[in-house]
Amino acid sequence: MRVAIIGAGVIGLSSALCIHEQFHGLVPSLELEVYADRFTPHTTSDGAAGLWQPYLSDHGNLQETLWNKETFDYLLRHMHSAAAKEMGLFLISGYNLFTEPVPDPSWKNIVLGFRNLTPKELELFPGYSYGWFNTALMLEGRSYLPWLTNRLTPRGVKFFHKKVESFQEVSGDGVDVVLNCSGMRSGDLQPDPQLQPGRGQIIKVLAPWVKHFIVTHNLKSGIYNSPYIIPGSEFTVLGGVNQHGNWSEENSAKDHKSVWDSCCQLLPTLQKAKIVDEWSGLRPARPSVRLERESIRLGNVQAEVIHNYGHGGFGITIHWGCAMAAARLFGNILQEKKQLATPPGARL
Amino acid sequence: MASPKVAVVGAGVIGLSTALCITETCPSCSVALLSDQFSPNTTSDVAAGMLIPHTYPDTPIHRQKQWFKETFTYLFAISNSAEASEAGIHLVSGWQVFKSTPKEALPFWSDIVLGFRAMSEAELLKFPQHQFGQAFTTLKCDCPPYLLWLEKRLKAAGAQMYTRKVADLWELHSEYNIVVNCAGMGAHQLVGDKQLFPVRGQVLKVHAPWVKQFIRDGDGLTYIYPGIHRVTLGGTREKGSWSLSPDAGTTKDIFDRCCSLEPSLQGAQDMEVKVGLRPSRQGVRVQREVLSQGGVELPVVHNYGHGAGGFSVHRGTAIEAAHLVEECISALQVSSSRAKL
């Protein structure tokens, strides 16, 4: 049984790992192949700061909230292991700031120690009158993707550096299931007008004295169109750009100035920070994550496709919950193809 | 007295901050700082510089609280300014965890640090050997940056600094009108204070930049304090030990204890081992004294004996010591005008 995974960002690699972990014992002939034109450190997941934090509201999409929770709990369990450092995983506390009171987020009981900010804490952030403090996790793509790759390679998973132009290209030639984890470029494989870029631009600086994340919110401008500061293990990410519909991956001088000025205003000590890099990336934004099966007729072959894309600015936050959901869909396919006598987990 | 000449002995955090306070409260004073050691070779350089107060049995709590509050307020303002990184002052959040419920649920400083609250059950899961915990946000003074920043401010205020070992405070009587004794552990020799004793602390400073939160065991013996470039792992409290040499067995013990609180420290790199002697006393000595020999008087202000809590109260005791210096100046002016009559 050959499975092709298109995409080697956090979604593609974690889906591949989840499927292999669950099914390789049950399906001895299971062969996974990852196809991508970009691998770490050049994926969208590598550019993201890596803060686990969903959007402010799940808009009633409880499924996504559950996937977020599954991811957080999964990562938290790994915190006690010595692997945490290699995974790029660590605990971090910080601030979410608002100019007016807002309802508590869907994730308030998922993170640790969620509470409102005290008046004294708000003195640190002139212009903001309300906010939250909580402890969350950082999962840095630049470490996590290599860690996933290092788990996949000894399992015999093969990697192919190529741009896949169509499902046909991989589904012919004996591939039974295709996992579409192509993120921003899913539209190239199958048009999806709901999938739009949420262009971000970030500045990476050296500011090791910053120990907290600070995410500000402007309810009118929308999520991540307001300054944010996220300290990583090597450098601190300054951001605050989320341009819907902008496909440019080039750094813009105007956005640089806007991010720099607004972050320095938020945290004056950043003026002394040394800039080491700048990056633009496209959040694969969609009203909801597309995580579903599709049977596609390609020539005289019926191909099973599992879509897992459209994670916007919360891919790292939701990845493991989605990987497990994709693995469940894979299990269903196996059952239908009579590759499995009983569903996984039902055996005693 | 037009321009009182004040000598401050000691260039750790107490000496530097006291000298700076004196330049602020007494602009007409000529301030000289004398010390045999400067940063990075002071006891303060070994300390993590965390603002978590030590409780002094013989100092009234309201006074300790006042000192802490003044120090916290002062550093909070710096941490919020463009100078924060140069001064080495930054906010840090974390947990203090207890194996058994502490006697005091609310320490005297709980309303001065930020966001103080009990840890939730979910948070305590990270510490299976601990039953209770407190979460809060406080400030950290990284040394050497903080001491160098104080030195820079002192120079800008016109103070002079001299490398000089003072063997006896009296030797300064001919050059200075007032002497301020901030000699820390050196006060044992300098003024023969038998109530002052060393409490040896060994720490490890490691490179582990993914550690963003502090963890402190409520017994005060084991702690992980992330600084700007290094994380301080501690520690020991060896009462009466004068040894400044690192002990290899102690290093392993500290590392093991810290790894059990934070397993990811196994991956820490570039370990430096340091030792400092906390200048400990039942109460901090912030006090005036007049030394006299052969009819000549030398006013002295003492500001030493901060033990494990120097950083936490440094600005508050510096302010108090500077007030005492003002009192000394007033007293000198009274006696000099009497002499004129």
Side-chain angles (χ1 to χ4, degrees), chain A residues 59-125:
Chain A
H59 301 294
N61 194 330
L62 298 175
Q63 181 66 264
E64 288 183 10
T65 298
L66 186 61
W67 288 337
N68 289 331
K69 178 174 161 56
E70 286 173 339
T71 307
F72 191 88
D73 291 345
Y74 167 77
L75 294 173
L76 199 60
R77 284 197 293 279
H78 280 78
M79 273 300 311
H80 304 293
S81 73
K85 184 204 169 191
E86 210 195 318
M87 286 168 81
L89 177 66
F90 54 93
L91 283 170
I92 187 169
S93 295
Y95 307 91
N96 276 279
L97 303 173
F98 304 87
T99 54
E100 58 190 285
V102 293
D104 289 344
S106 62
W107 39 272
K108 69 179 267 205
N109 293 321
I110 301 175
V111 295
L112 301 174
F114 181 93
R115 63 172 173 83
N116 285 348
L117 292 181
T118 64
K120 187 116 162 267
E121 288 174 306
L122 285 165
E123 280 177 39
L124 288 164
F125 310 111

Side-chain angles (χ1 to χ4, degrees), chain A residues 76 79-82 84-85 89-95 111-115 118 120-121 123-126 133 135 208-212 231-234 266-273, chain B residues 72 76 79-86 89-93 95 111-115 117 120 122-123 125-127 137 209-213 226-229 262-264 266-269:
Chain A
L76 199 60
M79 273 300 311
H80 304 293
S81 73
K85 184 204 169 191
L89 177 66
F90 54 93
L91 283 170
I92 187 169
S93 295
Y95 307 91
V111 295
L112 301 174
F114 181 93
R115 63 172 173 83
T118 64
K120 187 116 162 267
E121 288 174 306
E123 280 177 39
L124 288 164
F125 310 111
F133 183 91
T135 302
W209 57 88
V210 178
K211 304 293 181 189
H212 297 92
S233 61
E234 279 177 68
L266 183 58
L267 203 61
T269 180
L270 283 175
Q271 289 163 45
K272 305 274 166 76
Chain B
F72 196 91
F76 186 74
S79 79
N80 214 8
S81 76
E83 292 197 67
S85 56
E86 195 200 331
I89 308 295
H90 58 97
L91 283 173
V92 60
S93 296
W95 304 291
D111 59 344
I112 299 171
V113 296
L114 304 175
R117 60 174 174 84
S120 63
E123 288 173 300
L125 287 176
K126 184 172 153 57
F127 306 104
T137 301
W210 61 89
V211 176
K212 307 284 186 196
Q213 321 235 115
I228 293 176
H229 296 292
E262 178 54 71
S264 71
Q266 295 283 355
Q269 307 275 330

Side-chain angles (χ1 to χ4, degrees), chain B residues 106-339:
Chain B
L106 281 185
F108 74 80
W109 42 267
S110 63
D111 59 344
I112 299 171
V113 296
L114 304 175
F116 185 96
R117 60 174 174 84
M119 281 167 73
S120 63
E121 289 297 320
E123 288 173 300
L124 279 165
L125 287 176
K126 184 172 153 57
F127 306 104
Q129 294 172 339
H130 295 79
Q131 317 305 327
F132 181 77
Q134 298 155 345
F136 55 93
T137 301
T138 188
L139 291 158
K140 187 179 189 297
C141 303
D142 265 42
C143 285
Y146 185 53
L147 297 194
L148 295 177
W149 183 81
L150 289 172
E151 285 180 23
K152 189 173 164 188
R153 305 259 324 242
L154 266 177
K155 281 189 193 124
Q160 301 288 326
M161 288 185 272
Y162 302 100
T163 304
R164 171 175 170 176
K165 180 153 176 78
V166 176
D168 183 334
L169 294 183
W170 189 256
E171 77 187 53
L172 303 172
H173 84 274
S174 55
E175 303 161 71
Y176 300 97
N177 303 116
I178 299 165
V179 171
V180 186
N181 171 20
C182 303
M185 205 58 242
H188 187 272
Q189 184 82 350
L190 201 52
V191 300
D193 183 346
K194 300 283 190 297
Q195 293 176 53
L196 184 69
F197 56 93
V199 174
R200 182 184 181 279
Q202 184 163 320
V203 293
L204 318 178
K205 305 230 176 191
V206 302
H207 183 71
W210 61 89
V211 176
K212 307 284 186 196
Q213 321 235 115
F214 72 81
I215 304 170
R216 177 179 202 265
D217 191 307
D219 67 11
L221 211 52
T222 306
Y223 49 82
I224 296 161
Y225 293 144
I228 293 176
H229 296 292
R230 309 203 130 238
V231 182
T232 300
L233 309 183
T236 66
R237 283 204 196 141
E238 300 153 277
K239 192 171 165 182
S241 167
W242 286 89
S243 168
L244 282 168
S245 310
D247 178 82
T250 302
T251 296
K252 181 175 183 334
D253 178 57
I254 292 170
F255 190 70
D256 288 346
R257 282 188 274 127
C258 288
C259 286
S260 78
L261 284 179
E262 178 54 71
S264 71
L265 285 171
Q266 295 283 355
Q269 307 275 330
D270 295 340
M271 185 186 295
E272 281 177 9
V273 186
K274 297 200 159 190
V275 179
L277 307 179
R278 299 176 185 83
S280 307
R281 213 171 174 276
Q282 293 290 90
V284 182
R285 189 178 183 200
V286 189
Q287 194 177 50
R288 275 174 70 186
E289 189 185 0
V290 179
L291 302 181
S292 67
Q293 276 189 33
V296 183
E297 290 191 341
L298 176 65
V300 172
V301 173
H302 297 288
N303 187 8
Y304 68 88
H306 302 72
F311 278 89
S312 298
V313 298
H314 75 275
R315 176 78 180 174
T317 58
I319 290 171
E320 195 171 316
H323 287 323
L324 293 179
V325 168
E326 278 189 305
E327 285 180 15
C328 291
I329 293 170
S330 301
L332 283 172
Q333 278 163 345
V334 166
S335 64
S336 87
S337 56
R338 278 204 197 112

Side-chain angles (χ1 to χ4, degrees), chain A residues 12-24 32 148 152 320 322-328:
Chain A
L13 297 184
S14 61
S15 299
L17 184 63
C18 197
I19 286 171
H20 199 271
E21 278 178 347
Q22 287 192 26
F23 294 103
H24 81 278
L32 300 191
L148 287 168
L152 290 168
W320 192 252
C322 289
M324 292 201 292
R328 281 192 292 276

